[in-house]
Amino acid sequence: SGAREGSKSAKVLDLVKRPDGATLKELMKATGWQAHSVRGFLSGAVSKKMGLTVASAKGVDGERTYSVKV
């Protein structure tokens, strides 16, 4: 998967690979990172370095959800 097992990166990947993805708040809580750090990780490490496609959607409640299609 490109991330060491048990690392914060692995936690993020597990969350965004779920069928309905993960909200920004869930990702922040799982890692302890601030919002800009989570978004930067998704853009830089996941999208560019790992070559995965990150999809972002805004729900009716205004909450942003990120997902990766496996």
Side-chain angles (χ1 to χ4, degrees):
S1 72
R4 193 176 71 248
E5 189 176 334
S7 67
K8 289 182 182 181
S9 299
K11 288 180 189 176
V12 170
L13 287 173
D14 287 343
L15 289 171
V16 296
K17 286 181 178 178
R18 296 186 307 191
D20 51 343
T23 65
L24 182 58
K25 286 182 183 178
E26 289 174 322
L27 296 170
M28 289 171 58
K29 185 175 181 182
T31 59
W33 295 342
Q34 293 183 4
H36 67 274
S37 298
V38 172
R39 290 190 301 265
F41 176 78
L42 291 173
S43 173
V46 177
S47 184
K48 293 177 183 169
K49 289 184 182 175
M50 294 181 192
L52 300 172
T53 303
V54 179
S56 170
K58 201 174 216 180
V60 292
D61 58 356
E63 186 76 31
R64 179 118 352 234
T65 303
Y66 297 93
S67 60
V68 171
K69 302 302 176 214
V70 184

